[in-house]
Amino acid sequence: MSTFKRIISAALAAALALSLCSCGEKPTRSVDEQGVLHLDLEETEVSYKDSLTDDSADYSQEALEKMKSETHYIEDSDVPALYKYFDGRVRIGVAFGANQITDPEDRNTKGIAKHYNIYSLGNEFKPDCINPAEGVYNFEHADNFVEFGAKAGAYVRGHTLLWHSQIPQWWFKADPADTRSLADCAAADALCTSEVLQERITKYITDVVTRYKDTVQVWDVCNEVLNADGIRRIADDSYWADIMGDIDGDGYYDDYVEVAFRAARAADEDAFLMINDFNMEWQGSKTKAMYDMIERLMRKGVRVDGVGFQSHISVDCDVATYRRNIEKIAGLAEVYDECFPEHKGEFRIQITELDMNMFVGSLAEKSFYKWTDEDFKRQAIKYKELMDMFMEFVDRDLIDAIIFWGTDDENSWLNSTPKLRRNAALLVDRDFSLKPAFYAIAEAAFTKTEE
Ligand code: G3I
């Protein structure tokens, strides 16, 4: 890196450090009378991302090939930024914790800002963090997150407005102060009514979507509303459908999804509103249930702009099945165009939580395993195979974002779920060196796709 570039880079990092570290009310933020958060950023802050990559970074395929035989770290400034290989074609993103973006000098924070241009928060944008008790809002982490996103020149995703998990139980109770479990409340006829739940959903979504109207580009309005072939019910740990009921009497219990999308759309006409779920990578019945539900909603006039495939897959994942299920959901683009001609061509799919469990086959029951170069190569081959498949949909204007669920192998939920084990699911190793999977993803930018 040239000396001049080094000085500029240090100055920009210092400017960002000052703004990120200052406590209390930040002069860069204000909330207007409607409740919309506004950011007022300095030019130097928004060029933070560019300052992290040296001009000498070589984006050619030859340079990428050479890098594979060397060791590079996530924050190295002479390494190309991953997202730039795909700039203008698809956004490349990452999910992280609020505690991972507090220090702009931290190597992982730099890696997040440098390599990705769409972000999710792993936990702190969920209702249990934002709205833990009736009338209590905690926007601190979400505000920091959207500000970091703006400074790093990235899109941000609001994950997630409604989910059956990480939702405070008071939402479902007749008396929010009732300390009994939901099961006990249900048995005592002490759950809230359908009308009250509609009001709570509408208030929360209106308040949150309004606040982030200027700063969140994509919302996961609803997360994981389906079981293997239809809407989740109490038996699947979800109280939404049973309390809300089948309001319009059409025989389906997805009315709460409709209420949520209508509230989000009313709060922000231009927001990109998505529904997000898992297992569609392999499960045909769930993929069909998603297609049918979204088609039904669209025909009722509910504009759902996209479907998220979470993509918590394993290294033995069958890419052909996955491709078939994306193709099925891609069929919703036609329904969308028909129902919302003024938004023709805007329906999208996103890969929202991509990671790769390595404990499969003979390793399935293990907890601690020393991953070998061979294991990492095998993982890289699978990631490349997947990326090549995604890129076909990217070039058909159907997939517009691919987001990894975690910054590095240490920061991954797969180390604690379904049990404590030392997984290796992501693109960056525990010492922050780039894994073969990282280069494999970049390599997919050079694969020719056919229309
Ligand atoms: O914050 C507490 C901490 O105070 C406590 O000491 C610690 C002890 O276990 O737990 C901490 O909370 C954990 C939280 O993550 C923050 O790290 C929770 O136990 C843990 O359950 C929670 O897991 C999150 C999970 O959602 C909850 O279902 C994962 O981090 C998060 O990555 C994961 O994300 C979900 C997506 O939102 C939806 N799709 C599936 C995906 C993976 O489960």
Side-chain angles (χ1 to χ4, degrees):
M1 195 179 357
S2 69
T3 313
F4 178 69
K5 181 98 185 174
R6 256 184 240 282
I7 294 169
I8 295 291
S9 166
L12 288 170
L16 190 80
L18 271 177
S19 74
L20 282 178
C21 295
S22 60
C23 303
E25 257 335 280
K26 299 190 181 188
T28 51
R29 296 177 195 171
S30 58
V31 177
D32 70 17
E33 282 165 8
Q34 278 77 45
V36 182
L37 174 75
H38 298 281
L39 301 176
D40 183 15
L41 303 179
E42 298 289 331
E43 193 60 29
T44 48
E45 291 172 332
V46 285
S47 49
Y48 174 53
K49 189 183 215 73
D50 291 342
S51 75
L52 296 168
T53 306
D54 197 336
D55 288 343
S56 70
D58 185 343
Y59 286 84
S60 69
Q61 196 168 5
E62 297 68 40
L64 179 59
E65 194 54 38
K66 184 165 170 285
M67 278 200 300
K68 285 187 195 171
S69 57
E70 304 160 347
T71 304
H72 296 282
Y73 292 89
I74 189 156
E75 79 282 19
D76 287 352
S77 62
D78 57 347
V79 165
L82 185 58
Y83 84 92
K84 269 206 174 173
Y85 286 99
F86 301 92
D87 222 3
R89 272 172 98 189
V90 61
R91 285 182 182 265
I92 304 293
V94 70
F96 45 82
N99 61 352
Q100 289 187 273
I101 51 168
T102 52
D103 175 8
E105 283 306 311
D106 176 80
R107 57 198 309 197
N108 216 0
T109 311
K110 284 184 179 175
I112 292 169
K114 172 186 166 89
H115 289 293
Y116 305 97
N117 61 351
I118 183 164
Y119 299 145
S120 291
L121 261 186
N123 285 300
E124 297 87 352
F125 226 125
K126 294 170 179 170
D128 64 344
C129 181
I130 291 194
N131 191 200
E134 193 183 29
V136 177
Y137 280 125
N138 166 22
F139 290 123
E140 191 194 340
H141 292 311
D143 284 3
N144 290 341
F145 169 67
V146 298
E147 186 169 316
F148 179 84
K151 285 174 178 169
Y155 267 22
V156 305
R157 307 185 84 260
H159 173 80
T160 173
L161 293 167
L162 285 204
W163 190 20
H164 63 278
S165 175
Q166 294 181 285
I167 173 85
Q169 302 215 330
W170 69 264
W171 276 63
F172 302 112
K173 296 177 177 177
D175 174 4
D178 196 328
T179 53
R180 288 174 294 180
S181 71
L182 286 181
D184 287 349
C185 287
D189 204 16
L191 294 176
C192 69
T193 61
S194 173
E195 289 72 22
V196 167
L197 192 57
Q198 287 173 55
E199 278 164 26
R200 287 179 184 164
I201 291 177
T202 303
K203 174 164 175 45
Y204 179 75
I205 291 185
T206 306
D207 290 350
V208 176
V209 173
T210 300
R211 183 176 183 91
Y212 297 108
K213 220 173 169 163
D214 265 15
T215 44
V216 167
Q217 287 75 31
V218 185
W219 289 101
D220 283 335
V221 177
C222 293
N223 191 42
E224 301 178 11
V225 306
L226 298 173
N227 59 27
D229 53 14
I231 204 84
R232 270 178 191 265
R233 305 295 295 265
I234 286 183
D236 314 296
D237 283 336
S238 176
Y239 278 77
W240 296 111
D242 289 81
I243 296 179
M244 182 75 76
D246 176 12
I247 304 172
D248 58 9
D250 67 355
Y252 297 99
Y253 279 72
D254 50 25
D255 303 60
Y256 79 89
V257 177
E258 179 174 345
V259 169
F261 271 90
R262 287 197 190 280
R265 183 62 69 208
D268 187 356
E269 170 59 29
D270 302 322
F272 195 82
L273 304 183
M274 299 192 63
I275 188 154
N276 192 43
D277 219 318
F278 64 97
N279 282 359
M280 291 186 294
E281 301 80 36
W282 57 273
Q283 206 168 38
S285 60
K286 185 162 185 172
T287 308
K288 180 177 182 317
M290 177 64 87
Y291 182 97
D292 291 348
M293 178 177 70
I294 300 304
E295 177 179 23
R296 208 161 47 235
L297 288 171
M298 284 182 185
R299 296 212 184 277
K300 281 196 212 169
V302 181
R303 202 173 105 224
V304 178
D305 299 305
V307 174
F309 280 69
Q310 290 187 1
S311 309
H312 297 294
I313 49 142
S314 290
V315 68
D316 58 359
C317 140
D318 178 30
V319 177
T321 306
Y322 192 176
R323 178 203 307 268
R324 199 163 50 241
N325 291 352
I326 295 185
E327 194 69 74
K328 167 82 181 166
I329 295 298
L332 284 168
E334 231 172 272
V335 182
Y336 184 90
D337 289 351
E338 200 185 304
C339 296
F340 312 104
E342 67 285 12
H343 293 278
K344 196 169 188 311
E346 292 175 16
F347 179 83
R348 290 289 181 276
I349 289 167
Q350 295 191 345
I351 307 301
T352 52
E353 305 181 16
L354 182 58
D355 53 18
M356 191 180 285
N357 166 42
M358 296 291 282
F359 286 105
V360 299
S362 60
L363 299 180
E365 301 306 317
K366 292 210 181 309
S367 297
F368 293 96
Y369 184 75
K370 187 161 173 26
W371 301 107
T372 64
D373 289 350
E374 279 314 302
D375 294 321
F376 281 1
K377 270 188 203 148
R378 186 164 156 243
Q379 179 180 50
I381 289 168
K382 182 58 76 173
Y383 264 128
K384 169 76 167 40
E385 197 190 341
L386 268 178
M387 265 311 269
D388 284 344
M389 184 268 283
F390 295 154
M391 292 308 289
E392 289 172 28
F393 291 97
V394 166
D395 290 342
R396 287 165 55 194
D397 286 338
L398 285 163
I399 290 182
D400 69 352
I402 298 165
I403 296 118
F404 294 90
W405 201 248
T407 50
D408 60 273
D409 284 352
E410 188 62 24
N411 286 291
S412 162
W413 72 295
L414 290 172
N415 295 321
S416 53
T417 311
K419 61 178 180 179
L420 267 188
R421 59 187 187 182
R422 197 170 179 276
N423 223 320
L426 294 160
L427 310 184
V428 177
D429 209 340
R430 291 177 157 78
D431 65 355
F432 298 114
S433 62
L434 305 181
K435 288 168 63 184
F438 183 97
Y439 304 117
I441 296 294
E443 225 173 350
F446 299 100
T447 309
K448 296 251 175 309
T449 58
E450 285 174 23
E451 284 289 302

